[in-house]
Amino acid sequence: MGNFKHYLALIKPKRRGFFKNPTKKEKIVMEEHFEYLKNLITENKIQLAGPIINSVDPFGLIIFKTSSEEEARALLKKDPSVEKDIQKILKLEPFRLSLFNPKTD
């Protein structure tokens, strides 16, 4: 694992009903958000990311793979959905990746 550390981030849409009925602006920003996260995967800065989908309280989960909490926080703040005020940061915590299954099937 080298000098990398993992950090678990939770982000949440600011507007209720966001997932069921996104505005045109929200759709565009979320496409930017997805591309941003894909680039961080390519750069080996993210272990995994995805939405927690439930009708009551949906949110996003990201596990960063960075050398410091400051780096993870800076990457999170640069996320287009956070920068453009579509989502808010709920939490950023150190995370110990104890087990990992690389199989995709």
Side-chain angles (χ1 to χ4, degrees):
M1 198 162 85
N3 292 328
F4 291 110
K5 298 176 183 172
H6 292 92
Y7 297 90
L8 181 138
L10 301 179
I11 57 177
K12 181 177 180 163
K14 288 190 166 187
R15 187 179 65 79
R16 248 181 135 74
F18 167 84
F19 277 111
K20 290 184 178 180
N21 190 21
T23 66
K24 186 175 181 178
K25 177 188 175 187
E26 289 169 340
K27 285 180 184 179
I28 292 168
V29 172
M30 291 310 288
E31 288 173 10
E32 294 171 5
H33 160 76
F34 186 74
E35 289 302 315
Y36 178 74
L37 294 181
K38 279 181 25 181
N39 287 333
L40 292 178
I41 290 278
T42 301
E43 295 172 15
N44 201 29
K45 299 288 184 181
I46 288 181
Q47 192 73 46
L48 66 84
I52 305 301
I53 303 170
N54 67 57
S55 61
V56 177
D57 193 24
F59 60 93
L61 179 141
I62 304 166
I63 297 180
F64 287 97
K65 181 180 177 184
T66 60
S67 58
S68 68
E69 183 174 349
E70 292 76 21
E71 181 183 8
R73 187 170 307 282
L75 292 171
L76 191 55
K77 287 182 176 182
K78 286 183 183 177
D79 182 314
S81 70
V82 173
E83 272 189 336
K84 295 180 180 178
D85 210 31
I86 301 296
Q87 297 200 88
K88 62 184 173 182
I89 300 168
L90 294 179
K91 183 175 285 219
L92 180 65
E93 299 284 344
F95 178 78
R96 179 177 293 137
L97 184 62
S98 299
L99 298 170
F100 177 72
N101 182 352
K103 295 180 183 179
T104 58
D105 56 350

